[in-house]
Amino acid sequence: EKLSQLTDRVMETEARRDTALADYRRALDEFERCRATKEEINGLHWACTSSCSLELCRPYFQAKWRHEQRVLDECAVLDSLRAELAQVQKETGAQVVGMGETLQDYEIAGVELCGASGEDEYFSADEDDSGW
């Protein structure tokens, strides 16, 4: 019985190793494709100066990518907290009151929006406005 358990553990470990190796190879292939693309782009811009659009736009896109990653990280935290809350509710049977979010939850109280009276401030090209 002990030999059987050890054999099973070895098989599980080898399966995990094979999966990890396949994941590694996929990641390495993706890395190599990205590196080739980067070299291709850099090759096209080898003689560019600081006024090159690639150089001018790089800070924007780097900041955009950092922001998107931060948003994704925060969403992952929110998802894990929601899952944890759902698990606690399931285990205890407790209900959280006031969890429903509406659009009004994101509005600033006391601020009157432009055109809140139902009329907007824009005129159609068809309208005759003697003030123009």
Side-chain angles (χ1 to χ4, degrees):
E1 183 180 320
K2 191 169 188 170
L3 180 61
S4 175
Q5 290 175 347
L6 289 174
T7 304
D8 291 343
R9 287 181 58 191
V10 167
M11 289 175 56
E12 290 172 8
T13 303
E14 288 176 346
R16 284 196 314 259
R17 180 200 61 203
D18 293 343
T19 302
L21 188 57
D23 290 345
Y24 166 75
R25 287 187 178 138
R26 278 193 296 276
L28 185 60
D29 289 344
E30 178 66 22
F31 172 75
E32 291 299 330
R33 280 194 299 276
C34 290
R35 183 191 316 211
T37 301
K38 180 182 181 278
E39 289 175 4
E40 181 181 336
I41 291 170
N42 286 341
L44 296 172
H45 293 270
W46 68 272
C48 290
T49 63
S50 61
S51 63
C52 171
S53 62
L54 187 67
E55 293 299 320
L56 294 173
C57 294
R58 180 175 286 138
Y60 164 78
F61 284 103
Q62 288 173 337
K64 178 180 181 267
W65 294 328
R66 283 191 303 270
H67 173 73
E68 288 173 350
Q69 186 59 50
R70 191 171 76 223
V71 168
L72 290 174
D73 292 343
E74 290 173 358
C75 286
V77 169
L78 286 173
D79 289 341
S80 69
L81 289 173
R82 284 187 185 112
E84 187 177 332
L85 178 62
Q87 183 64 30
V88 168
Q89 286 178 322
K90 182 179 175 183
E91 291 172 359
T92 63
Q95 294 295 320
V96 178
V97 179
M99 283 293 290
E101 294 178 344
T102 64
L103 293 177
Q104 288 78 19
D105 294 335
Y106 297 97
E107 292 180 358
I108 300 173
V111 175
E112 185 174 325
L113 300 174
C114 294
S117 64
E119 298 178 17
D120 57 20
E121 298 176 10
Y122 301 101
F123 297 100
S124 165
D126 299 346
E127 293 179 24
D128 182 24
D129 185 12
S130 58
W132 292 99

